[in-house]
Amino acid sequence: MTTPSAPFAPEQQPAAPAKKGGAFLKKVGGFVVLLVVGLAVKLGIPYLTGDAPVHAKAGECVTVSGPENDPKADTADCSSGKPDLYKVVKVVDNTFDLNVCGDEHSALAQQWDADKFVLCLDEVAPKK
């Protein structure tokens, strides 16, 4: 009896080596994504949740709420007649010195990262 011959099989070629550049690009891409997410969390979330301080300009109005040791300012329409409504008289950047506003104005110091400033405020009489 004869042994049947093996079926024809094409020669198998060695597998192509993995690209070294692909792994490097994945690492760099992962780092970039992580960096973007980190910046979004650091800079974006407080602004979206309303926890970022208001850097109003002179002539704009703000409402002030919260405890005295952690007040929150929000921009508002000057004609709204809301309680605790103040008009920003001037803004003094790069300081926490509440005395820069003098005795005739109220002062509110704010900080966001390295940005620090004082809002000098005049109370707007509420509408009756």
Side-chain angles (χ1 to χ4, degrees):
M1 201 163 165
T2 63
T3 309
S5 63
F8 176 75
E11 284 185 35
Q12 291 194 357
Q13 295 183 359
K19 291 183 180 179
K20 292 181 182 177
F24 176 74
L25 289 177
K26 283 184 182 180
K27 286 181 183 179
V28 170
F31 176 75
V32 170
V33 168
L34 184 64
L35 182 65
V36 168
V37 169
L39 284 173
V41 168
K42 177 91 171 143
L43 301 175
I45 290 178
Y47 283 99
L48 294 174
T49 61
D51 290 338
V54 171
H55 200 309
K57 297 175 186 169
E60 293 181 330
C61 288
V62 296
T63 56
V64 180
S65 60
E68 192 171 307
N69 63 347
D70 188 23
K72 303 286 185 223
D74 293 308
T75 56
D77 182 10
C78 291
S79 62
S80 67
K82 292 180 178 180
D84 298 322
L85 184 65
Y86 295 87
K87 186 169 190 170
V88 178
V89 177
K90 68 178 176 177
V91 179
V92 183
D93 288 318
N94 300 319
T95 187
F96 285 134
D97 183 9
L98 298 177
N99 295 321
V100 297
C101 295
D103 292 335
E104 64 273 3
H105 303 293
S106 299
L108 178 63
Q110 298 277 285
Q111 179 175 6
W112 175 249
D113 285 336
D115 187 21
K116 56 185 178 180
F117 54 92
V118 173
L119 299 176
C120 299
L121 308 169
D122 274 344
E123 189 171 10
V124 176
K127 290 186 175 183
K128 295 179 182 180

